């Protein structure tokens, strides 16, 4: 009988230790990294994708005192349309030119509060979305 206890004891101790362990605290997810593989400010697709990525996932590469760019403030569909409009501010042709007009309206409805009229932004607080190349693309590229 004693032998069984000798066998069970380590198992019981293991179980107690396992259960007593505080639930693993998963660290806060870091901001999704930008896709930097195709990040050329001269290629319309890359610019459009970069802008879309920032709208969907947010961004905090400048650490401005104004805080990060918030993620997902608009639906994915609207993000695509706004990205099309902002691509034209870079002098590039978006994948769906027919989205530009609505994208502009959506920009004025959702983004102008921070990025100002025409996307001009505010130096040191909100990036100028008419800058060529976009400051963020330039910064990300200089890392690679
Ligand atoms: C609460 C203020 C705020 C709002 C609202 C906001 N942004 Fe931003 N945005 C920022 C800040 C701050 C940054 C810089 C983030 C960083 O440090 O990476 C930024 C960055 C960006 C960039 C990247 C610029 C670059 O040079 O790389 C784009 C594109 C952008 N925003 C588009 C938008 C669009 C489109 C909307 C509306 C759907 C929007 N933003 C709404 C604050 C805002």
């Amino acid at each position: 009988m004693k032998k069984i206890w000798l066998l069970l004891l380590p198992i019981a101790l293991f179980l107690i230790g396992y259960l007593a362990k505080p639930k693993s605290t998963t660290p806060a997810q870091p901001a999704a990294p930008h896709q930097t593989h195709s990040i050329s400010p001269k290629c319309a697709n890359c610019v459009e994708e970069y802008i879309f990525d920032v709208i969907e996932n947010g961004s905090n590469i400048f650490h401005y005192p104004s805080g990060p760019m918030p993620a997902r403030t608009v639906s994915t569909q609207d993000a695509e349309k706004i990205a099309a409009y902002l691509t034209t501010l870079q002098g590039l042709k978006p994948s769906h030119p027919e989205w530009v007009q609505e994208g502009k309206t959506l920009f004025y409805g959702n983004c102008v509060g921070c990025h100002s009229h025409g996307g001009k932004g505010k130096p040191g607080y909100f990036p100028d979305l008419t800058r060529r190349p976009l400051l963020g693309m330039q910064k990300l590229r200089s890392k690679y």
Side-chain angles (χ1 to χ4, degrees):
M1 204 51 193
K2 267 193 182 154
K3 271 186 186 157
I4 289 181
W5 277 112
L6 279 177
L7 269 174
L8 285 178
L9 195 65
I11 298 171
L13 284 176
F14 171 79
L15 276 176
I16 291 168
Y18 179 77
L19 292 173
K21 222 171 49 186
K23 289 273 164 285
S24 68
T25 44
T26 34
Q29 287 291 312
H34 294 289
Q35 294 169 359
T36 42
H37 55 273
S38 60
I39 197 156
S40 164
K42 287 196 183 122
C43 120
N45 266 351
C46 312
V47 170
E48 196 168 356
E49 257 180 46
Y50 168 75
I51 295 170
F52 175 77
D53 176 45
V54 171
I55 306 172
E56 280 281 286
N57 300 310
S59 181
N60 194 17
I61 58 174
F62 300 122
H63 305 287
Y64 284 153
S66 39
M69 154 90 191
R72 261 170 240 109
T73 55
V74 294
S75 70
T76 299
Q77 273 178 341
D78 288 356
E80 284 175 333
K81 290 172 182 163
I82 300 172
Y85 162 61
L86 292 177
T87 301
T88 65
L89 299 186
Q90 296 292 308
L92 297 165
K93 192 171 170 223
S95 56
H96 292 265
E98 70 275 16
W99 287 345
V100 171
Q101 202 49 48
E102 198 184 338
K104 185 175 180 177
T105 310
L106 287 164
F107 175 84
Y108 276 88
N110 295 285
C111 324
V112 77
C114 287
H115 288 286
S116 302
H117 185 76
K120 277 298 204 180
K122 189 169 183 231
Y125 291 91
F126 304 111
D128 178 0
L129 304 181
T130 66
R131 185 185 190 277
R132 296 187 210 173
L134 284 169
L135 200 57
M137 288 191 96
Q138 186 176 313
K139 186 176 156 93
L140 289 171
R141 265 168 70 83
S142 64
K143 278 205 240 162
Y144 291 84

